[in-house]
Amino acid sequence: METWRLLHTGYSDPAVNMAVDEAILHANSRGLVPPTVRFYGWNPPTLSIGYFQRATKEVDFDALRAQGLGFVRRPTGGRAVLHDKELTYSVIVPESHPMMPTSINESYRILSMGLLEGFRELGFSAEMVSLADEEEKKKFETLGSAACFDSPSWYELVVEGRKVAGSAQVRQQHTILQHGSILLDIDVEQLFSVLSYSSERTRERMVRMFRDKAVSMKDLGRDVTYEEAVDGFTKGFEKGLGISLVPAGLTPEEQAHVEQLVAEKYGTESWNFKK
């Protein structure tokens, strides 16, 4: 059985969290560290936006500041996510790994088997749904919303027909970074209060549509702690990917790179407000 590295980095601020994921990607691309699964949280609770989103157009920064929330632009695509009562995961693995298909959608499906088994480990009924046909895509599609979790990807992990984990993937230096949020609980009103819409009616419509599709573990009747989730999804990734996860820390080189990325990229307005 292949051994991968397991990282528990705890709660960090938004710039550090994104810097750690990128530093691991760079180290893995150079063969300095093995494939890695990382679990983490956010302090303060943070709104992250996808790489291609326009911050000043889609985010209400007055509301964000008033609520004491952090803000960061992710290196991955996708929509806005409010990181609060959740477990965040990341997986970093070479594109050339024998387990990884060349297709982004197929590699997403493979890596998401770790999530699937994690939910099952915690007692939930979870399945992977293929959205290859038009009927399935229409069922989950929501146009015009800035919030993540409301339109599942080509392959979507669903629990009782609704979305509990939102993931995004980027490939750089022949290395895959997939990260995402596993919702323990969610304050839908707070999420939509910090996103900008043309009218209050539009906002209310988006909230209703979001509630129909996205769900947290608490919504499904289970109070799962952060620690329980880490344990469940550690076992889930081991089972889903057929690997053994060995706890470790960041290397000194990775840590130094994290500090550089915070100072020069994720902690800067030029990155976070670049679009």
Side-chain angles (χ1 to χ4, degrees), residues 3-50:
T3 297
W4 290 21
R5 179 174 61 161
L6 175 64
L7 286 179
H8 297 296
T9 53
Y11 287 76
S12 299
D13 73 46
V16 169
N17 272 337
M18 291 300 90
V20 170
D21 278 352
E22 183 170 329
I24 298 168
L25 182 152
H26 282 280
N28 181 263
S29 74
R30 295 166 58 199
L32 301 177
V33 297
T36 298
V37 175
R38 173 189 174 217
F39 294 116
Y40 56 102
W42 303 72
N43 184 23
T46 293
L47 184 77
S48 77
I49 61 170

Side-chain angles (χ1 to χ4, degrees), residues 25-245:
L25 182 152
H26 282 280
N28 181 263
S29 74
R30 295 166 58 199
L32 301 177
V33 297
T36 298
V37 175
R38 173 189 174 217
F39 294 116
Y40 56 102
W42 303 72
N43 184 23
T46 293
L47 184 77
S48 77
I49 61 170
Y51 178 79
F52 298 101
Q53 286 187 281
R54 295 167 64 182
T56 53
K57 182 180 178 183
E58 299 188 39
V59 178
D60 182 340
F61 284 98
D62 289 337
L64 201 74
R65 283 186 288 269
Q67 296 181 49
L69 299 174
F71 175 74
V72 71
R73 180 183 298 277
R74 301 188 305 272
T76 51
R79 304 178 186 179
V81 181
L82 180 61
H83 305 280
D84 188 2
K85 297 161 187 170
E86 69 172 51
L87 172 65
T88 315
Y89 81 94
S90 60
V91 182
I92 297 91
V93 59
E95 284 183 314
S96 60
H97 192 282
M99 193 189 300
M100 290 297 106
T102 54
S103 158
I104 290 177
N105 289 322
E106 289 295 328
S107 63
Y108 170 84
R109 181 182 63 82
I110 295 294
L111 293 175
S112 294
M113 292 306 294
L115 299 175
L116 178 77
E117 294 297 343
F119 279 108
R120 289 177 175 173
E121 189 71 33
L122 292 167
F124 292 96
S125 174
E127 60 180 330
M128 193 70 72
V129 175
S130 169
L131 302 181
D133 63 76
E134 287 302 317
E135 188 175 335
E136 281 295 326
K137 279 189 274 188
K138 283 181 182 175
K139 178 181 172 185
F140 285 99
E141 196 173 48
T142 302
L143 294 175
S145 173
C148 197
F149 288 94
D150 58 4
S151 23
S153 315
W154 288 103
Y155 287 101
E156 199 55 79
L157 177 66
V158 295
V159 180
E160 296 187 13
R162 295 162 80 188
K163 190 169 179 179
V164 183
S167 301
Q169 191 182 113
V170 68
R171 295 176 178 220
Q172 296 174 357
Q173 300 168 35
H174 306 292
T175 304
I176 298 168
L177 162 62
Q178 180 171 308
H179 57 193
S181 301
I182 300 162
L183 299 178
L184 308 179
D185 194 3
I186 185 169
D187 187 336
V188 177
E189 294 293 341
Q190 184 179 33
L191 168 60
F192 283 86
S193 75
V194 295
L195 299 177
S196 295
Y197 290 97
S198 57
S199 70
E200 194 56 36
R201 176 179 288 184
T202 302
R203 185 192 308 274
E204 289 169 1
R205 187 177 84 247
M206 292 302 173
V207 168
R208 286 195 303 272
M209 295 171 83
F210 185 94
R211 288 187 191 278
D212 287 341
K213 296 179 178 68
V215 64
S216 71
M217 293 187 195
K218 188 166 186 177
D219 294 326
L220 296 173
R222 287 281 311 279
D223 278 315
V224 178
T225 66
Y226 178 90
E227 290 74 21
E228 288 170 336
V230 167
D231 184 57
F233 284 96
T234 297
K235 293 173 182 173
F237 272 101
E238 288 185 319
K239 184 175 181 181
L241 301 184
I243 58 175
S244 175
L245 288 171

